[in-house]
């Protein structure tokens, strides 16, 4: 692991319930100061491609996003994606930004990013992680989900 302290690695392991894999750095922290998103290497330690550049670690945030997914939010987003060309273009830009960031570390030789981008909405966890790491205005579905989730950190640290 590069760029991550032993304390952060321990916090991420507690959040995930397992040791983190291929972590490069903490990409976002909750207001409680614990990591909430880590940036991962494009390949696992054994060389296996790992296209998910941003991995959500906060267990409380993961649970809340799971509730949004169970409520059918991805299906609603997918429907809007097919009907709204401006939204589709913003989502394409999020995909392109994701690929550019990952390829700057190491190209996997593929146009596959994560979360179904650019044509499907497959995993809100990925979109929220991307939105937190990249900041507002980059991933429209990550931004929307975060707005719905509110202050997930208000109850204190998740680990």
């Amino acid at each position: 692991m590069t760029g991550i302290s032993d304390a952060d690695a321990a916090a991420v392991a507690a959040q995930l319930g397992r040791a983190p894999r291929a972590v490069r750095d903490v990409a976002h922290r909750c207001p409680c100061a614990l990591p909430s998103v880590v940036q991962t290497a494009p390949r696992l330690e054994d060389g296996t491609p790992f296209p998910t550049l941003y991995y959500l670690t906060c267990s409380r945030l993961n649970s809340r996003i799971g509730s949004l997914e169970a409520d059918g939010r991805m299906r609603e987003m997918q429907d809007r994606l097919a009907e709204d060309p401006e939204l589709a273009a913003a989502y394409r830009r999020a995909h392109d930004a994701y690929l550019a960031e990952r390829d700057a570390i190491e190209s996997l030789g593929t146009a596959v990013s994560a979360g179904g981008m650019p044509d499907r909405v497959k995993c809100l966890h990925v979109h929220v992680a991307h939105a937190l790491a990249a900041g507002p205005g980059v991933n429209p579905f990550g931004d929307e989900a975060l707005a719905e989730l509110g202050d997930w950190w208000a109850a204190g640290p998740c680990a």
Side-chain angles (χ1 to χ4, degrees):
M1 287 185 270
T2 61
I4 184 169
S5 70
D6 290 343
D8 284 341
V12 170
Q15 291 168 324
L16 298 176
R18 63 171 173 77
R21 301 180 301 166
V23 173
R24 290 178 42 84
D25 207 350
V26 173
H28 183 268
R29 291 182 183 277
C30 288
C32 72
L34 289 177
S36 55
V37 177
V38 293
Q39 183 191 66
T40 61
R43 294 186 187 276
L44 298 176
E45 288 82 357
D46 67 1
T48 303
F50 191 65
T52 302
L53 179 63
Y54 295 114
Y55 199 90
L56 191 65
T57 62
C58 175
S59 53
R60 184 175 299 121
L61 186 52
N62 270 311
S63 177
R64 289 196 180 183
I65 293 167
S67 295
L68 287 181
E69 290 182 344
D71 287 344
R73 196 69 73 243
M74 292 181 307
R75 184 177 52 256
E76 293 170 13
M77 291 172 170
Q78 180 73 43
D79 290 346
R80 288 181 26 237
L81 188 61
E83 298 167 359
D84 184 340
E86 288 181 28
L87 179 61
Y91 197 50
R92 167 65 67 177
R93 287 189 299 275
H95 164 76
D96 293 341
Y98 199 97
L99 284 178
E101 289 179 66
R102 190 184 70 210
D103 287 351
I105 299 166
E106 179 184 357
S107 176
L108 293 177
T110 180
V112 173
S113 57
M117 291 188 282
D119 303 315
R120 297 180 7 217
V121 182
K122 189 172 135 189
C123 178
L124 288 183
H125 296 81
V126 166
H127 297 301
V128 168
H130 187 209
L132 287 171
V138 175
N139 188 312
F141 291 131
D143 290 348
E144 280 184 28
L146 278 169
E148 275 192 71
L149 294 169
D151 298 339
W152 78 89
W153 63 85
C158 67

